[in-house]
Amino acid sequence: MPANAHPPRSDMEIEARALTVGKWANLFMAVAGVATALLSHSDAMLVDGLYSAVNFLSAIVAARIGLSIARPANRRRPWGYDFDEALYVTFRSMILIGILIFALFVSLSKIATYLTGGTVPTLVFGPIAVYAVTVVLICAGLAYNYHRAYVTTGRRSAILQTESKASLIDGAISLGAGGALLSLPFLPGTVLEPLIPIGDALIVVTLVALIIWQPVSLFLRSLADLAGISAPPATVAAVARRTRAAALETGFRYLRCAVLRAGRSHYVAVYLDPQRSVTAAEIDAFQARLRTALDEAIGSLRLEVIITERRGPEIGDARLLP
């Protein structure tokens, strides 16, 4: 039977509180961003507001995911709900990438309109100043709140880690866009004066180029989890070392291990040759000791101990073993 280990309920409560604060803060920033965009005619502010709207909706889903992964394995989900977290991060990253690409397309269209002799709306700077200062302060507070919860819960929540990074990105967008937009009135009489009408669009293009790597990297990592790619070499090596040590103490022969990552949790299968007759109770006791050791090393996991005399297919043992 799979051995389950989940974060304690207090950790779930800490995560839930952080997500609740973030949810309402992002709703406020989303409404403020869209309103500022309408008042100022700024695409950069619209992108910022849409980004916050995604964060608001994501916080609602993240709260449900946080509760979902705490559920024990059952007949419908015999390996539990841990992969829900990886699914969440994957789709959230895709949405953020989509928003940034949309913003890039709108801005490039505005630049093309200007270069072909068309007219572009004149910016109104007053609402931008108020919005930028307010949102930067809120995002800094959210990033700190998420990161503190992430550290407090043992640095195991991919949800909190993702939300902390998203808040930093949102704050960076607001700071960069607001600061750059507010500098436009000071450009007349300089060599940059011809760029004033499309300054807003140029700022969006620059911001997208600077930050799109963040959701892309999160997407690739979560996609690797969903694809069943082996956990990072350092994680596999930690599992191998502790399993080999536990096997030697018990008189078993360690063969190999397989480790997958699923959000904050891991799926671990260890292959052993007892080299003697053993009872089911002995295997259960070994599994319990090993689970405790591995939980200290890599965090929450589901563990299977597989008894066999075959090493099985070579799966990079030279790389996996310390």
Side-chain angles (χ1 to χ4, degrees):
M1 295 293 292
N4 300 339
H6 291 290
R9 175 59 57 180
S10 59
D11 285 1
M12 293 298 180
E13 292 172 350
I14 292 171
E15 180 179 287
R17 284 197 298 270
L19 292 172
T20 299
V21 172
K23 176 177 66 176
W24 297 116
N26 277 293
L27 177 60
F28 170 80
M29 291 189 293
V31 173
V34 173
T36 301
L38 294 175
L39 294 173
S40 65
H41 309 139
S42 170
D43 291 336
M45 295 298 98
L46 179 60
V47 171
D48 203 25
L50 291 177
Y51 199 99
S52 295
V54 171
N55 288 344
F56 167 69
L57 296 175
S58 297
I60 297 174
V61 177
R64 297 180 63 88
I65 295 295
L67 296 174
S68 173
I69 61 177
R71 298 167 61 184
N74 53 40
R75 186 181 299 275
R76 183 168 179 266
R77 300 285 291 270
W79 287 98
Y81 292 79
D82 300 287
F83 276 103
D84 287 358
E85 186 171 14
L87 279 170
Y88 161 79
V89 175
T90 299
F91 285 104
R92 189 187 192 287
S93 301
M94 289 176 62
I95 292 172
L96 293 178
I97 292 170
I99 286 179
L100 293 176
I101 292 175
F102 167 76
L104 182 63
F105 175 79
V106 170
S107 297
L108 291 177
S109 298
K110 180 181 285 187
I111 294 172
T113 299
Y114 175 72
L115 294 177
T116 55
T119 58
V120 294
T122 302
L123 295 178
V124 180
F125 295 100
I128 295 174
V130 175
Y131 173 80
V133 172
T134 303
V135 169
V136 167
L137 293 176
I138 292 175
C139 288
L142 284 180
Y144 171 75
N145 185 49
Y146 285 133
H147 182 71
R148 182 179 63 179
Y150 175 65
V151 173
T152 302
T153 54
R155 300 177 182 270
R156 296 175 181 177
S157 172
I159 291 177
L160 289 174
Q161 185 181 34
T162 300
E163 295 305 322
S164 177
K165 291 181 178 179
S167 296
L168 288 175
I169 291 174
D170 199 5
I173 292 175
S174 301
L175 179 62
L181 289 173
L182 294 175
S183 70
L184 293 180
F186 300 98
L187 297 183
T190 70
V191 295
L192 299 178
E193 182 175 359
L195 301 179
I196 292 177
I198 55 171
D200 178 60
L202 293 174
I203 290 166
V204 172
V205 172
T206 302
L207 288 174
V208 170
L210 290 175
I211 67 177
I212 196 169
W213 64 270
Q214 186 67 258
V216 168
S217 65
L218 288 172
F219 171 74
L220 293 177
R221 171 180 167 177
S222 58
L223 195 63
D225 291 352
L226 293 174
I229 295 176
S230 178
T235 301
V236 180
V239 171
R241 284 195 300 270
R242 284 162 177 77
T243 304
R244 182 186 288 106
L248 286 174
E249 291 177 2
T250 314
F252 296 165
R253 180 188 174 209
Y254 168 76
L255 300 177
R256 63 185 177 93
C257 68
V259 186
L260 301 179
R261 183 173 55 191
R264 74 192 67 184
S265 301
H266 292 86
Y267 287 72
V268 178
V270 298
Y271 297 80
L272 303 172
D273 178 3
Q275 303 184 101
R276 58 180 173 81
S277 298
V278 293
T279 64
E282 289 181 86
I283 299 301
D284 288 343
F286 174 85
Q287 184 183 42
R289 292 195 304 272
L290 180 59
R291 184 172 62 247
T292 299
L294 293 181
D295 183 74
E296 295 174 355
I298 65 172
S300 177
L301 74 147
R302 298 180 187 273
L303 174 64
E304 288 282 0
V305 175
I306 300 170
I307 302 302
T308 181
E309 63 179 7
R310 297 179 299 173
R311 285 189 64 85
E314 295 299 324
I315 56 172
D317 289 327
R319 177 181 65 84
L320 299 183
L321 302 184

